[in-house]
C-alpha cells in the first residue's frame, strides 16, 4: 500500500536562488529536525546530478538508521527527484519542484512512500512523524528565506 505527502510553500525569492539552496545536499541538515540526529555521511562537496548517491545517518525513535538515496531526475532550476536505495521505508520517492510565480517561488514536495506493516504501521507510527518533520521543514525554510 502506497501513501503520499504533498506540501507547498511560497517563498519570496527567485526560483534560481531557492533551487541553488536545495541543490546543496549539505543544506538538508538545516531542514531536518534535531530530534532525528540527522547527518550527511557522504563527503562534501556533493555534486548533484542524475545518478548521484547520498548517504545519511539518523535516528528514528532512538534507533540508528542508515539511509542511501539516489538522484534519479535533475532538471535545474525546475525540479529533481531522490529515491531511497537503502533505508527505513519499503519505498520512498521524493519529488521536489520549484515554480516561478509573481513575487517568488512555490516549492512543492511530493513523496510517494510505502512502509513495512502497511496502513496500520503508517497510521500509528509513520504518518504523524512525517507530518512533524515536514512542518519543521516549512518553518525552517520560512526562517532561512524570510
Amino acid at each position: 500500500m502506497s501513501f503520499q505527502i504533498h506540501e507547498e510553500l511560497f517563498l519570496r525569492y527567485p526560483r534560481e536562488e531557492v533551487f541553488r539552496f536545495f541543490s546543496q545536499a549539505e543544506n538538508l541538515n538545516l531542514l531536518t529536525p534535531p530530534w532525528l540526529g540527522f547527518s550527511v555521511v557522504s563527503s562534501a562537496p556533493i555534486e548533484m546530478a542524475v545518478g548521484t548517491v547520498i548517504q545519511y545517518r539518523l535516528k528514528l525513535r532512538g534507533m540508528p538508521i542508515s539511509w542511501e538515496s539516489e538522484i534519479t531526475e535533475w532538471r535545474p532550476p525546475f525540479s529533481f527527484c531522490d529515491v531511497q536505495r537503502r533505508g527505513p521505508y519499503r519505498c520512498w520517492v521524493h519529488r521536489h519542484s520549484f515554480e516561478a510565480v509573481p513575487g517568488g517561488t512555490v516549492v512543492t514536495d511530493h513523496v510517494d512512500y510505502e512502509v513495512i506493516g502497511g496502513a496500520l504501521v503508517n497510521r500509528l507510527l509513520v504518518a504523524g512523524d512525517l507530518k512533524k518533520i515536514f512542518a519543521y521543514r516549512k518553518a525552517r525554510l520560512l526562517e532561512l528565506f524570510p
Side-chain angles (χ1 to χ4, degrees), residues 52-103:
T52 297
V53 174
I54 307 166
Q55 297 173 331
Y56 317 95
R57 283 202 185 102
L58 64 142
K59 289 185 179 180
L60 287 175
R61 299 185 178 269
M63 295 182 57
I65 302 285
S66 294
W67 184 316
E68 183 176 278
S69 65
E70 179 180 348
I71 304 300
T72 58
E73 178 184 308
W74 185 250
R75 297 180 48 235
F78 306 103
S79 64
F80 68 95
C81 182
D82 61 89
V83 174
Q84 175 194 279
R85 293 294 178 220
R86 189 181 77 231
Y89 297 92
R90 181 171 274 167
C91 173
W92 178 272
V93 178
H94 187 172
R95 289 179 177 80
H96 311 254
S97 61
F98 307 86
E99 180 185 357
V101 296

Side-chain angles (χ1 to χ4, degrees), residues 4-131:
Q4 289 81 38
I5 299 166
H6 186 87
E7 298 285 344
E8 293 184 2
L9 179 64
F10 173 77
L11 299 174
R12 284 179 271 206
Y13 287 80
R15 176 174 52 198
E16 290 72 16
E17 187 174 341
V18 174
F19 188 90
R20 191 174 321 118
F21 174 83
F22 277 86
S23 72
Q24 298 170 0
E26 301 83 1
N27 286 337
L28 196 49
N29 288 325
L30 300 173
L31 301 179
T32 305
W35 65 83
L36 289 175
F38 179 87
S39 63
V40 177
V41 176
S42 298
S43 299
I46 298 168
E47 185 171 336
M48 299 285 271
V50 170
T52 297
V53 174
I54 307 166
Q55 297 173 331
Y56 317 95
R57 283 202 185 102
L58 64 142
K59 289 185 179 180
L60 287 175
R61 299 185 178 269
M63 295 182 57
I65 302 285
S66 294
W67 184 316
E68 183 176 278
S69 65
E70 179 180 348
I71 304 300
T72 58
E73 178 184 308
W74 185 250
R75 297 180 48 235
F78 306 103
S79 64
F80 68 95
C81 182
D82 61 89
V83 174
Q84 175 194 279
R85 293 294 178 220
R86 189 181 77 231
Y89 297 92
R90 181 171 274 167
C91 173
W92 178 272
V93 178
H94 187 172
R95 289 179 177 80
H96 311 254
S97 61
F98 307 86
E99 180 185 357
V101 296
T105 303
V106 173
V107 178
T108 302
D109 288 289
H110 185 85
V111 181
D112 290 299
Y113 70 99
E114 297 176 12
V115 298
I116 296 168
L120 182 63
V121 169
N122 186 60
R123 187 173 67 247
L124 294 177
L125 299 172
V126 179
D129 286 351
L130 289 174
K131 271 188 167 180

